[in-house]
Amino acid sequence: MRQWTSAIAETKSAYVLLASAAASCALCSLLFNRVIDQDGARWCQRQKWKALPGWRKLTCAADVVSLLHALVVSPIALYAFYEIIARADDDVSVECGHQPNLATTPSPLATIVATGIACGNFLYDCYLMLVFVPETNMRFAAAGGAWVMWLHHFLSILVWPYCVLTNRGTYFVTWMLTTEVSNIGQNAFSLSEFGGMNDKGRMAIGIGWMLSFFIVRMLPALSVLGTYYRLLMASGACGFALLDRCIGLVTVPIPIVLNAVWFKEMLVVAYRRLSADSEKKRE
């Protein structure tokens, strides 16, 4: 009876912790966005800021907020993923027949906090997309359109907390959280273009962004897909209810596919820019 009561208390605490982290992040993000939007002229050339189109100002403010978010959530997520992998070396199996396994291992505290922070950032971004529709379409034109981000954010807000709080698929959610590392380079690169940094500086940031994207998103993909196959496709229930298994089967491949598409686009853009630079030098 004590163990059951303790488990319920821990679950309630997890709900409160995740919701508090999400609410705090969303409110802080909106506050930062408001400050940047109003005081942007103080931090850069006033005429240049006023001359920017609305969608570019929105993108700049969102990039600053997203950069701060990535800097905060990345180390928390990396620590959580390390903790889960360390369990796999001890008492957590990578095979379905053992309990607990990577699919049913309890969520580390760091995963709960990181999930809350990430969902708070998604809520903030959803607010921007809902209120600033034309600017949002311009902002995400290169990423496949606003609908891709709506799908990404909506599914993440629904699925991640459910998985983390029910200890189903925490391994997959935590890995997805670690990919926020590459958003540090992404937002820094976007801000460097806005700030008028020289070509060499932008190129260095761009190379760092692409390398981090490849290391945290592309390289682990085969290992994650292997775990996905062993625990969700090739085995039995593996400790999952039917709903939990369906959620995992449908949602885990989505970010992997999106990452592959986005990395291909990054390579195409990089090739075009390098080709254009080489042509200018020839002229």
Side-chain angles (χ1 to χ4, degrees):
M1 183 67 179
R2 287 183 179 178
Q3 289 182 347
W4 182 82
T5 305
S6 176
I8 293 296
E10 290 176 2
T11 302
K12 288 182 178 179
S13 298
Y15 273 88
V16 172
L17 180 61
L18 193 150
S20 300
S24 300
C25 179
L27 290 174
C28 289
S29 298
L30 288 171
L31 178 62
F32 274 117
N33 188 90
R34 184 175 179 83
V35 170
I36 295 166
D37 186 49
Q38 291 183 345
D39 297 343
R42 297 181 185 179
W43 303 332
C44 61
Q45 298 177 8
R46 186 177 296 272
Q47 292 181 348
K48 183 178 181 181
W49 178 260
K50 289 183 177 180
L52 287 175
W55 74 269
R56 196 65 184 90
K57 291 180 181 178
L58 179 70
T59 300
C60 177
D63 286 343
V64 173
V65 173
S66 296
L67 177 60
L68 293 173
H69 164 261
L71 289 169
V72 171
V73 80
S74 294
I76 301 174
L78 288 169
Y79 176 78
F81 195 64
Y82 166 78
E83 190 174 346
I84 291 175
I85 296 302
R87 291 178 188 173
D89 294 334
D90 299 327
D91 57 349
V92 175
S93 174
V94 295
E95 301 299 333
C96 182
H98 299 81
Q99 292 293 341
N101 53 56
L102 276 180
T104 59
T105 184
S107 302
L109 179 64
T111 294
I112 297 172
V113 174
T115 302
I117 295 174
C119 288
N121 186 64
F122 294 149
L123 288 171
Y124 150 76
D125 220 20
C126 287
Y127 167 79
L128 295 185
M129 292 191 293
L130 189 63
V131 175
F132 305 99
V133 177
E135 293 87 351
T136 294
N137 292 331
M138 292 292 295
R139 177 186 169 199
F140 292 122
W147 72 270
V148 176
M149 304 312 297
W150 273 114
L151 175 66
H152 175 274
H153 291 4
F154 184 71
L155 286 178
S156 299
I157 292 169
L158 286 181
V159 173
W160 287 8
Y162 175 79
C163 293
V164 168
L165 294 173
T166 59
N167 299 323
R168 293 295 181 269
T170 296
Y171 165 81
F172 300 109
V173 174
T174 307
W175 170 69
M176 294 172 194
L177 287 166
T178 64
T179 62
E180 288 291 324
V181 170
S182 66
N183 288 346
I184 297 173
Q186 175 187 346
N187 291 293
F189 182 75
S190 179
L191 289 170
S192 71
E193 290 195 314
F194 165 77
M197 183 178 288
N198 60 53
D199 292 340
K200 290 184 179 180
R202 289 203 307 272
M203 180 176 290
I205 295 175
I207 291 173
W209 171 28
M210 292 186 70
L211 283 176
S212 66
F213 193 102
F214 181 75
I215 292 171
V216 301
R217 293 178 184 255
M218 304 305 297
L219 274 184
L222 288 178
S223 176
V224 172
L225 285 174
T227 305
Y228 167 80
Y229 176 79
R230 289 196 304 272
L231 297 180
L232 294 176
M233 293 184 66
S235 304
C238 205
F240 276 61
L242 178 60
L243 174 63
D244 300 336
R245 192 176 185 189
C246 289
I247 290 173
L249 286 170
V250 172
T251 59
V252 171
I254 292 176
I256 297 176
V257 172
L258 287 176
N259 289 336
V261 172
W262 288 335
F263 191 66
K264 187 204 77 169
E265 291 298 321
M266 290 167 66
L267 292 175
V268 170
V269 172
Y271 175 77
R272 288 175 180 172
R273 291 196 177 188
L274 289 174
S275 299
D277 290 343
S278 62
E279 288 181 3
K280 287 182 179 179
K281 290 180 179 179
R282 289 174 185 175
E283 294 176 358

